[in-house]
Amino acid sequence: MPEVSRPEFTVVIPARNEAASLPLTLRALQRQTLAPREVIVVDHASHDGTAAVARAWGARVLECREP
């Protein structure tokens, strides 16, 4: 029987000032049966530490400084 490869995918999360709720989203992604290959958080000029929270969870952060 041929080996079935599992699909790889990336999750992109747009966020602005989501430091309080972002951990809930990232925790839900960790609990998935098939985890994403990568999680990218696009931080849209947050002022509340969203980028730091995302990095602490292992996500790659792309910063968008334009409000």
Side-chain angles (χ1 to χ4, degrees):
M1 184 170 218
E3 185 177 319
V4 177
S5 64
R6 297 182 79 171
E8 290 189 0
F9 60 96
T10 297
V11 173
V12 178
I13 303 169
R16 181 176 176 129
N17 296 324
E18 295 294 338
S21 60
L22 189 57
L24 296 173
T25 301
L26 296 171
R27 187 175 304 119
L29 287 172
Q30 285 181 333
R31 290 192 311 252
Q32 296 300 306
T33 303
L34 180 58
R37 181 178 56 89
E38 181 178 29
V39 175
I40 300 171
V41 174
V42 180
D43 179 24
H44 192 145
S46 294
H47 301 286
D48 69 347
T50 294
V53 170
R55 286 187 187 100
W57 280 79
R60 181 164 61 121
V61 176
L62 299 178
E63 296 189 21
C64 177
R65 298 269 179 214
E66 298 294 319

